[in-house]
Amino acid sequence: MLNDKKVSYSGIQPSGNLTIGNYLGALKNFSEYSEKYKTFYCVVDEHAITVRQVPAELRKRTYETLALYLACGLDPEQNCLYVQSHVPAHAELAWILNCYTMFGELSRMTQFKDKSAKHANNVNAGLFTYPVLMAADILLYQTDVVPVGIDQKQHVELARDIAVRFNGVYSDTFTVPEPIISKTGKKIMSLAEPTKKMSKSDENANAVVYILDDKDTVIRKFKRAVTDSDTEIKYAEGKDGINNLMTIYSCFTGKEFDEIEREFAGKGYGEFKLAVGETCADCLAPVREEFNRLLKDKAYLETVMKNGAAEAAYYANKTLSKVRRKVGFVNL
Ligand code: TRP
């Protein structure tokens, strides 16, 4: 809790290539959170360097990610938006928490296993302790809830375990956070292989719709979406492609499945795919326009970063000084 409001904390990797899965499952709904919660959204540039980055690209993507948050409707007056490396308390607390996290626990993290297989020539210590830095992000702000995709649930559970352990040794210090797993975010599937989750790193460009794709690209990708040999637009087992398109259409329009079935009764797959593509493109257009406008205004983005970092540091330093005292560091 901060100022009588529960705290929601979320981090996002600096990547310009977010998909409509990220949009529908997370970004689109974020602006509603600020009514109920004190919200923090962090661009996690320190997490990004656990795999090799081109420095100029990382810098550019950091601006882009912030611009995307703003373009998706997050008002910087209502939400604390900032960049992780601007608040040194993250790295400091991460070191301390490293000493309260077990080798065995980190070895069990499935993302570590996946990433170390994928980047076999660079299995660095940061990749291994990545979840500890994430725990530091979360615990610095006395976070109650962490909205994440299902793939991050294990990391949030580790943050809980670390918090409980630390509190047990030193008395209550950290709020124990809960993950909030978005219902739709995990359901947006690849357009090419609709049994697989839509992933920003898919090699097949037609499988993924990016938030920043232009109208023609969006429509072309939906036109090529894999469906089945049936003809009916109906949500049913075995119709993974159509189910996925119906989910996407439903998320963008708010229409229920039975409504969509009635709307497209007697119509063909081609017509349906076009409708989904057009709806998606129309919903994304204002986001893309605002993103492009913001990117041209670096001074504004930097003002948001500065204000966000100052606010974040204020709360983070409160927790950090408590932690320093409890573990026995000398305060000057
Ligand atoms: N690890 C998260 C991801 O890859 C990003 C992240 C970093 C995060 N710190 C966080 C998410 C804190 C939620 C809370 O998606």
Side-chain angles (χ1 to χ4, degrees), residues 9-13 44 47 111 130 134 137-138 146 148 152 155:
Y9 189 95
S10 194
I12 196 162
Q13 298 249 11
V44 294
H47 277 105
Q111 190 178 65
Y130 176 113
M134 179 162 160
D137 299 343
I138 296 168
V146 187
V148 281
Q152 295 298 315
H155 290 163

Side-chain angles (χ1 to χ4, degrees), residues 150-210:
I150 186 83
D151 61 315
Q152 295 298 315
K153 187 165 173 249
Q154 197 185 28
H155 290 163
V156 180
E157 280 162 1
L158 180 69
R160 286 175 62 88
D161 292 343
I162 296 172
V164 169
R165 181 173 304 142
F166 194 98
N167 290 349
V169 178
Y170 298 104
S171 78
D172 268 0
T173 309
F174 298 121
T175 302
V176 180
E178 300 268 355
I180 299 187
I181 310 297
S182 61
K183 277 193 243 94
T184 53
K186 60 185 167 191
K187 277 200 234 136
I188 307 300
M189 301 298 190
S190 152
L191 296 188
E193 282 173 80
T195 50
K196 246 179 51 186
K197 188 181 157 191
M198 185 181 285
S199 154
K200 63 182 174 189
S201 49
D202 201 311
E203 276 155 25
N204 179 351
N206 287 320
V208 194
V209 181
Y210 295 104

Side-chain angles (χ1 to χ4, degrees), residues 71 212 284-296:
L212 299 171
L284 295 179
V287 176
R288 197 179 66 246
E289 279 158 29
E290 181 64 359
F291 174 85
N292 288 330
R293 190 187 69 78
L294 285 164
L295 266 195
K296 289 191 202 116

Side-chain angles (χ1 to χ4, degrees), residues 36-57:
K36 202 165 149 206
Y37 297 101
K38 170 72 194 153
T39 51
F40 294 87
Y41 296 98
C42 181
V43 182
V44 294
D45 56 348
E46 292 172 336
H47 277 105
I49 62 165
T50 55
V51 300
R52 285 286 170 269
Q53 301 285 340
V54 177
E57 276 291 299

Side-chain angles (χ1 to χ4, degrees), residues 96-106 132 135 158 162 165:
I96 297 173
L97 297 183
N98 264 319
C99 305
Y100 298 82
T101 309
M102 301 302 135
F103 184 87
E105 288 177 305
L106 292 175
V132 183
L158 180 69
I162 296 172
R165 181 173 304 142

